[in-house]
């Protein structure tokens, strides 16, 4: 007798639209490998170098050797044995946050994770005590955030977006409604800088008001910041929420997938909140570490050495390590916006508009037709260009008149050709609609 | 106002005895760094070599280059970019299972994970649909298994151990009791070879009967096999449960922490079960991959390359890769058993007995007094030797007359000195008790 399982007997997250979204988007990319992809939110590969990996590991090991009195056995143990649950590059990460973000973090409040996704799950799992514990989230939202919440059995409390990233009036109302319904809003998930998918950055005033609301209504802010480094050279990006956070309301989620090397799969969380218990106060980071010890035990110290070496070689600054990358993405962004203006001049038909982020990886297009997955498939097959229907970031399957364009993975020439194809698709579709 | 959290508002697993156990045991080791430790179940470090890591990565990349038509850009993407959720060394792992274990696994049924702990969590999270879904577990059990179940909100159904690893009568009764109480036993967690903490291996007959019971009562068997490779050179170890599994009842959990390099943090799960759904049948591995996409996205391909290179350099055989290690652990085991017989001859007082595993990392001592954590601290402070009180593997805090000795991390000389100290402790304690 063959053993059979049924999807309806497996964890509820497995049947969710979020998972279906992730699956569909992956699968479409695989089915049309030769399409130009504005869909992949991946870092550009042209700067990847395998020799870097070997050198970073050696740089980190030299650093560790100096710390361990040049005892090679201790260096080997440090990098090759089971290691500290909270990680081994926590001090380098704290230095990086100080250098790049003006965040002064106690290294003991840092937990190094198997990518930022694990940092997010650890935090949500910790905050989800009962089915009443819920997560405030601005929609449209990063699919990984809604996915992690579903995996942690944490209900979502949607909050409206705005031109400034978040509608704070709606946030306060969402909190009120949730509390009235017996729910407990534990945290609000936010990408304050060049959000995925919207590309929007929050103003300093909005950041400050959000923190005030967090204190007032007693919730945490989960600040996810994978794109902050990729700002314009000359533009002053507002401080991160964590840098504006005297009340320790912010749990800061960090990723090295875009600024370090994706293949290292190293991220981190700064969780400096105090946790009271019968045995006295502790750090929230230490509670997250306990969960991590049951989830992945510790983050590969070899992978941490890769990121540690990159930090060491750049004086702790990922902005400086990514000078070349930042220029490349900025050039792509200008090229994309310029190309859009050429193909869709203002006031012409069909009316296509877009927002104008000043950094990050994403631009959002407003189009005069509802966009569903069938349309993406049509476009991929007949126009050989991929992008992401925005409904995937709302998790409800309702088509929106919007698509997300990612400009991180392509060369300027590919963007040029991709936009021609995209314009061809839009014109074909509008002609069909009129016809 | 400083934000405060309270432990009672965080996930229930954080207050559990399992977490307390993990914390206490880590913390004791740190407080007595100069004690000889029979507590650490870590692999011996004497064979660690950083040059191996660099060479393994190069070996793997050469292999990938051959596969990708020597296109260096594709190799860089393969190892440095975001990657396949189920991993990149799945074919090498399937080959290893065939070579070493006689398991013929479809590579598509393999999910490469951030250590075996993630494999376990993925599986439990998938199987836990409602609070009725429970895990059968033989006590004493590996702390990471009970911890992962608590993190997945999955209740435990304890099953009695036996000289053959599991009391199958008690298992059948536990299933009956659980079903009568409205619970659904989804799986039974088992280490069939040289279990942690007991050191016991199950006979072939018991393995076969366990699989029959799994079919009869419709549960899965989660076979965790970190120690199977470390058997005696000349002794035939019974086949793994997965090799005896025509009905696809077994989910096989694999670790490279002891056989590969702990610092790579790479493990895997073989989940070849069929999953029925409205859209047709799929593989359980693909459902686990969906959960992984929300948990850690993918396992570091750089870390996978380290393990992949080691597999490639050893013709897919971890037995062959660990010839030196296996001899070392076998020598340590003989040395430990010999030393115990010298210090505690049969029939003498105090009466101390122990089991005699033929491999793995662990031996269990029966002592004529109940062992709690205070006693371990006393022994560490005054006798400078560490070991593990067995109550930690029952999760109930009730002192047992047993301690676990791990012999993997020490040299023979350290074992000699450690046993002298341990004997000193036992004699002191029995003298006090008589006094």
């Amino acid at each position: 007798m063959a053993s059979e399982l049924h999807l309806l007997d497996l964890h509820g997250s497995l049947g969710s639209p979020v998972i279906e979204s992730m699956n569909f988007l992956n699968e479409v990319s695989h089915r049309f490998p030769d399409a130009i992809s504005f869909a992949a939110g991946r870092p550009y590969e042209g700067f990847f170098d395998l020799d870097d990996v070997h050198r970073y590991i050696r740089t980190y090991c030299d650093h560790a050797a100096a710390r361990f009195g040049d005892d090679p056995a201790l260096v080997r143990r440090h990098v090759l044995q089971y290691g500290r649950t909270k990680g081994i590059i926590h001090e380098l990460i704290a230095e990086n946050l100080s250098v790049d973000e003006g965040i002064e973090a106690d290294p003991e409040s840092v937990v190094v994770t198997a990518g930022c996704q694990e940092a997010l799950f650890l935090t949500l799992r910790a905050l989800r005590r009962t089915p009443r514990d819920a997560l405030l989230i601005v929609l449209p939202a990063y699919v990984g955030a809604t996915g992690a919440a579903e995996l942690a059995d944490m209900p979502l409390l949607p909050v409206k977006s705005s031109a400034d990233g978040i509608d704070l009036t709606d946030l306060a109302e969402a909190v009120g409604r949730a509390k009235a319904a017996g729910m407990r809003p534990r945290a609000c998930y936010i990408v304050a800088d060049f959000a995925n998918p919207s590309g929007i950055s929050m103003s300093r005033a909005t950041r400050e008001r959000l923190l005030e609301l967090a204190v007032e209504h007693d919730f945490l802010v989960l600040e996810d910041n994978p794109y902050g480094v990729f700002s314009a050279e000359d533009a002053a990006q507002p401080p991160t929420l964590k840098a504006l956070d005297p009340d320790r309301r912010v749990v800061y989620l960090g990723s090295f997938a875009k600024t370090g090397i994706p293949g290292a799969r190293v991220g981190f969380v700064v969780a400096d909140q105090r946790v009271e218990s019968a045995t006295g106060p502790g750090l929230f980071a230490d509670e997250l570490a306990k969960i991590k010890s049951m989830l992945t035990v510790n983050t590969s110290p070899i992978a941490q050495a890769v990121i540690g070496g990159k930090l060491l070689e750049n004086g702790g600054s990922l902005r400086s390590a990514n000078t070349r990358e930042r220029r490349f993405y900025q050039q792509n962004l200008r090229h994309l916006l310029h190309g859009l203006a050429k193909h869709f001049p203002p006031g012409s038909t069909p009316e296509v508009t877009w927002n104008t982020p000043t950094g990050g990886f994403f631009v959002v297009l407003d189009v005069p037709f509802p966009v569903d997955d069938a349309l993406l498939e049509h476009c991929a097959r007949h126009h050989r260009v991929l992008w992401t229907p925005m409904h995937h970031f709302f998790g409800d399957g309702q088509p929106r008149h919007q698509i997300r364009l990612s400009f991180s993975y392509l060369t300027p020439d590919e963007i040029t050709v991709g936009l021609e194809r995209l314009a061809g698709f839009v014109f074909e579709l509008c002609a069909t609609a009129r016809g």
Side-chain angles (χ1 to χ4, degrees), chain A residues 3-238:
Chain A
S3 68
E4 302 279 3
L5 294 166
H6 199 288
L7 191 60
L8 295 177
D9 284 332
L10 301 180
H11 190 256
S13 63
L14 287 168
S16 87
V18 172
I19 288 286
E20 296 304 317
S21 281
M22 285 175 119
N23 250 29
F24 171 78
L25 296 171
N26 276 330
E27 185 254 346
V28 167
S29 303
H30 281 107
R31 259 193 302 144
F32 301 99
D34 297 328
I36 288 182
S37 178
F38 288 111
R42 299 175 160 205
Y44 180 62
E45 290 168 0
F47 303 127
F48 285 2
D49 187 340
L50 275 160
D51 290 340
D52 285 349
V53 169
H54 292 285
R55 200 188 59 250
Y56 290 151
I57 294 173
R58 278 192 291 269
T59 298
Y60 182 79
C61 288
D62 289 347
H63 167 79
R67 213 179 109 196
F68 292 131
D70 288 315
D71 183 336
L74 290 182
V75 176
R76 285 196 296 269
R77 174 182 300 169
H78 183 65
V79 176
L80 302 181
Q81 185 57 278
Y82 283 98
R84 185 173 173 272
T85 309
K86 290 200 283 183
I88 60 173
I89 60 168
H90 49 303
E91 288 168 351
L92 295 174
I93 289 173
E95 185 196 5
N96 163 249
L97 291 173
S98 175
V99 170
D100 279 345
E101 308 293 349
I103 296 170
E104 301 304 326
D106 174 2
E108 284 301 321
S109 72
V110 175
V111 183
V112 189
T113 53
C116 187
Q117 189 68 26
E118 189 194 22
L120 184 54
F121 181 79
L122 292 178
T123 308
L124 296 179
R125 178 83 299 199
L127 292 175
R128 197 279 190 192
R129 171 89 183 187
T130 79
R132 296 171 49 232
D133 294 317
L135 179 68
L136 296 155
I137 191 160
V138 178
L139 294 186
Y142 166 54
V143 180
T146 44
E150 293 198 358
L151 193 60
D153 293 326
M154 202 168 192
L156 295 175
L157 305 170
V159 176
K160 285 185 189 141
S161 185
S162 78
D164 202 28
I166 183 169
D167 179 334
L168 292 173
T169 308
D170 191 60
L171 173 67
E173 285 171 10
V175 170
R177 277 193 306 272
K179 287 186 176 175
M183 304 295 284
R184 190 158 60 158
R186 300 300 300 270
C188 179
Y189 173 83
I190 281 285
V191 182
D193 295 273
F194 314 122
N196 178 7
S198 72
I200 294 172
S201 288
M202 291 164 57
S203 68
R204 178 166 181 147
T206 298
R207 291 172 199 234
E208 286 172 344
R209 184 66 193 125
L210 172 62
L211 292 175
E212 286 166 14
L213 284 172
V215 173
E216 197 176 317
H217 296 286
D218 193 21
F219 60 82
L220 293 172
V221 175
L222 312 187
E223 178 178 29
D224 188 2
N225 188 16
Y227 308 106
V229 161
F230 302 112
S231 57
E233 205 67 49
D234 47 353
Q237 193 65 6

Side-chain angles (χ1 to χ4, degrees), chain A residues 179-369:
Chain A
K179 287 186 176 175
M183 304 295 284
R184 190 158 60 158
R186 300 300 300 270
C188 179
Y189 173 83
I190 281 285
V191 182
D193 295 273
F194 314 122
N196 178 7
S198 72
I200 294 172
S201 288
M202 291 164 57
S203 68
R204 178 166 181 147
T206 298
R207 291 172 199 234
E208 286 172 344
R209 184 66 193 125
L210 172 62
L211 292 175
E212 286 166 14
L213 284 172
V215 173
E216 197 176 317
H217 296 286
D218 193 21
F219 60 82
L220 293 172
V221 175
L222 312 187
E223 178 178 29
D224 188 2
N225 188 16
Y227 308 106
V229 161
F230 302 112
S231 57
E233 205 67 49
D234 47 353
Q237 193 65 6
T240 59
L241 287 155
K242 189 65 191 162
L244 297 170
D245 177 40
D247 298 321
R248 298 197 298 266
R249 278 284 149 188
V250 178
V251 174
Y252 184 87
L253 304 163
S255 166
F256 295 110
K258 281 85 185 176
T259 56
I261 291 181
R265 290 303 304 141
V266 175
F268 64 92
V269 51
V270 180
D272 55 4
Q273 289 70 28
R274 296 286 168 275
V275 177
E276 298 295 327
S277 77
T279 55
L283 264 176
F284 191 34
D286 288 316
E287 301 304 321
L288 299 184
K290 289 178 193 170
I291 295 182
K292 182 170 173 64
S293 71
M294 297 182 287
L295 195 65
T296 58
V297 182
N298 61 291
T299 301
S300 164
I302 296 172
Q304 291 184 70
V306 173
I307 299 301
K310 185 162 185 174
L311 287 170
L312 285 163
E313 291 188 6
N314 290 280
S317 173
L318 289 170
R319 285 191 193 275
S320 130
N322 284 279
T323 304
R324 193 176 50 171
E325 286 79 359
R326 197 164 59 245
R327 283 190 193 138
F328 178 84
Y329 295 133
Q330 284 285 322
Q331 183 194 1
N332 273 4
L333 173 56
R334 282 192 304 268
H335 193 71
L336 177 68
L337 295 176
H338 182 80
L340 286 170
K342 198 188 86 183
H343 287 290
F344 308 107
S348 67
T349 308
E351 195 183 1
V352 174
T353 57
W354 52 90
N355 64 352
T356 54
T358 58
F361 281 15
F362 308 109
V363 165
V364 174
L365 232 62
D366 286 275
V367 293
F369 46 83

